[in-house]
């Protein structure tokens, strides 16, 4: 019979095999856009990914603009963005329900201000827009209510359920003997780790596997860690399948947020804005390489000369000795069409900016026209934001909404929510986001509905189309 450790090791290898087709593309993102993100090495702790110098940082700049725009527009730290309302609109009309919802939202915003929520959300959006999936682990924190652990591409694998939500997380990471013994205890560690501890080799590396998945078999009448709906298991990858895990605990809900930038079908990891522009991004670096080579050919061309001259001095003011009238001449010097190459580079830069939505968030920076009205600016903004509606929907349903629900649960467990008025009678609340990006998206959707109704009303005035007006 397969043991728990053996099961998780097998499932981890299966998840890694499923993810392996994406690693080559993710490594290109790390090389050309985010050189300090992504983890693809397992042999050394905290090993930085080797990468060549980025010759043109257009993609990195456009990605930064995209992440900053979404962060400021979807979850701005300077203004409230979480809205709550009661499901029963009649209860809301009395005013008491609205006041209570606003009070709960204020507590949520105060909690986010003291925790590491905003830098973690920004990191997650950065990973989503670059690689496709983002990953955050939400843990309860003694002082700050909650704490978000940030993961990067290459160090985690997912399993998803029928609805597309994360059902299992597999995370391989490297720790040290000292950290493992402090975290899990001396007796829980395998013999080699205990020997290293006894020999004071506290910095020796230990490879661990952390798994979070649904506990299929449990006793619902018990609320201890071994019977919670979700389990968290730490395993020493060097241990045998028959050895027990380092620790098994549990969660009352799935603490992993695994949002995706864009999803096609049942894709586990999705795709991203950067991956869609990778052809232009890699082509831009290639053209810069050729541009540099062309400049070198014109300024420092290859030479030919007497056979007895072993070394040619090419630095300014240098002197090369030759016999008699022998000369050292350049080979095939020609003026290359650099301007045409620069135009191709500019085309790549423009396409990259558009693919990464830089024009959405910087649409008016270069607009020097006078007399541009606020209504015109709002209309143009709404049209551009509408193109990002699928991405904003994913951020809503796979990232922000689950995070708010977890936050409310943590606050309720600690008794930190304001007491509900008895008039509400246990009425449930709904989450709605009131940040600028979500408001602009809803406004554009409402405008489309109004235009449809106006068209139907106009059709009702046409002879023979009276039934359209009546049914509308």
């Amino acid at each position: 019979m397969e043991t728990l450790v053996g099961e998780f090791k097998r499932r981890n290898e299966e998840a890694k095999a499923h993810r392996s087709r994406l690693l080559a593309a993710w490594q290109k993102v790390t090389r050309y856009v985010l050189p300090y993100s992504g983890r693809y090495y397992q042999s050394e702790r905290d090993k930085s990914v080797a990468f060549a110098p980025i010759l043109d940082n257009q993609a990195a700049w456009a990605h930064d603009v995209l992440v900053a725009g979404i962060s400021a527009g979807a979850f701005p730290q300077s203004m409230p963005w979480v809205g709550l309302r009661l499901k029963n609109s009649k209860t809301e009309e009395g005013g008491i329900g609205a006041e209570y919802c606003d009070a709960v939202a204020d507590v949520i915003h105060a909690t986010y201000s003291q925790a590491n929520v905003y830098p973690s959300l920004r990191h997650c959006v950065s990973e989503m827009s670059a690689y496709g999936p983002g990953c955050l682990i939400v843990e309860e924190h003694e002082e700050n209510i909650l704490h978000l652990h940030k993961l990067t591409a290459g160090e985690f694998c997912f399993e998803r359920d029928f609805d597309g939500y994360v059902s299992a997380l597999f995370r391989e990471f490297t720790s040290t003997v000292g950290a493992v013994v402090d975290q899990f205890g001396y007796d829980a560690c395998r013999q080699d780790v205990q020997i290293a501890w006894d020999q004071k080799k506290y910095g020796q590396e230990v490879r661990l596997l952390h798994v979070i998945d649904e506990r299929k078999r449990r006793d619902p009448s018990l609320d201890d860690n071994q019977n919670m709906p979700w389990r968290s298991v730490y395993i020493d990858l060097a241990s045998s399948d028959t050895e027990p895990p380092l620790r098994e605990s549990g969660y009352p809900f799935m603490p992993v947020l695994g949002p995706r930038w864009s999803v096609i079908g049942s894709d586990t990891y999705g795709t991203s804005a950067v991956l869609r522009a990778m052809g232009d991004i890699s082509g831009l670096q290639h053209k810069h390489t050729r541009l540099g080579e062309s400049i070198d050919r014109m300024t420092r061309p290859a030479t030919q000369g007497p056979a007895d001259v072993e070394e040619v001095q090419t630095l300014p003011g240098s002197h090369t000795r030759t016999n008699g009238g022998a000369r050292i001449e350049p080979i095939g010097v020609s003026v290359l069409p650099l301007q045409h190459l620069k135009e191709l580079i500019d085309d790549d830069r423009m396409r990259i900016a558009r693919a990464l939505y830089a024009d959405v968030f910087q649409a008016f920076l270069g607009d020097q026209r006078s007399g541009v009205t606020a209504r015109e600016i709002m209309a143009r903004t709404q049209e551009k934001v509408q193109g990002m509606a699928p991405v904003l929907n994913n951020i809503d349903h796979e990232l922000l909404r689950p995070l708010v629900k977890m936050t409310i649960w943590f606050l309720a467990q600690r008794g930190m929510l304001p007491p509900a008025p008895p008039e509400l009678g246990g009425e449930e609340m709904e989450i709605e986001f009131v940040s600028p990006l979500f408001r602009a998206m809803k406004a554009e959707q409402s405008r489309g509905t109004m235009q449809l109704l106006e068209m139907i009303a106009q059709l009702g005035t046409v002879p023979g189309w009276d039934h359209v007006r009546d049914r509308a």
Side-chain angles (χ1 to χ4, degrees), residues 96-173:
I96 299 177
E99 293 180 0
Y100 175 71
C101 290
D102 291 342
V104 174
D106 291 341
V107 176
I108 293 174
H109 289 121
T111 302
Y112 289 167
S113 297
Q114 71 181 21
N116 69 331
V117 171
Y118 290 105
S120 299
L121 289 177
R122 183 184 177 98
H123 166 82
C124 191
V125 170
S126 175
E127 292 281 317
M128 292 171 59
S129 57
Y131 300 99
C135 186
L136 298 174
I137 302 178
V138 185
E139 299 272 6
E140 189 173 7
H141 192 272
E142 183 176 354
E143 296 181 2
N144 299 329
I145 312 301
L146 74 163
H147 182 83
L148 279 63
H149 298 274
K150 300 173 287 187
L151 304 186
T152 188
E155 66 175 339
F156 63 85
C157 298
F158 286 147
E159 290 179 356
R160 293 188 183 268
D161 60 18
F162 189 79
D163 296 324
Y165 293 101
V166 175
S167 60
L169 168 75
F170 301 90
R171 174 197 173 204
E172 290 188 24
F173 64 101

Side-chain angles (χ1 to χ4, degrees), residues 221-239:
S221 63
L222 302 176
D223 59 355
D224 59 347
N225 284 339
Q226 303 299 317
N227 288 281
M228 286 188 175
W230 299 87
R231 60 185 173 183
S232 172
V233 181
Y234 284 89
I235 297 171
D236 187 335
L237 285 174
S239 62

Side-chain angles (χ1 to χ4, degrees), residues 9 14 18 29 44 57 74 85 99 144-145 182 191 262 303 317 332 338 362 386 393 400 404 409 453 455:
K9 286 183 177 181
E14 293 172 352
H18 177 68
V29 175
E44 297 180 18
N57 65 350
R85 62 183 179 88
E99 293 180 0
N144 299 329
I145 312 301
D182 289 342
Q191 185 176 5
S262 178
T303 60
L338 298 185
Q362 291 202 329
Q386 190 62 22
N393 283 330
L400 299 182
V404 173
W409 189 89
L453 293 176
M455 182 185 68

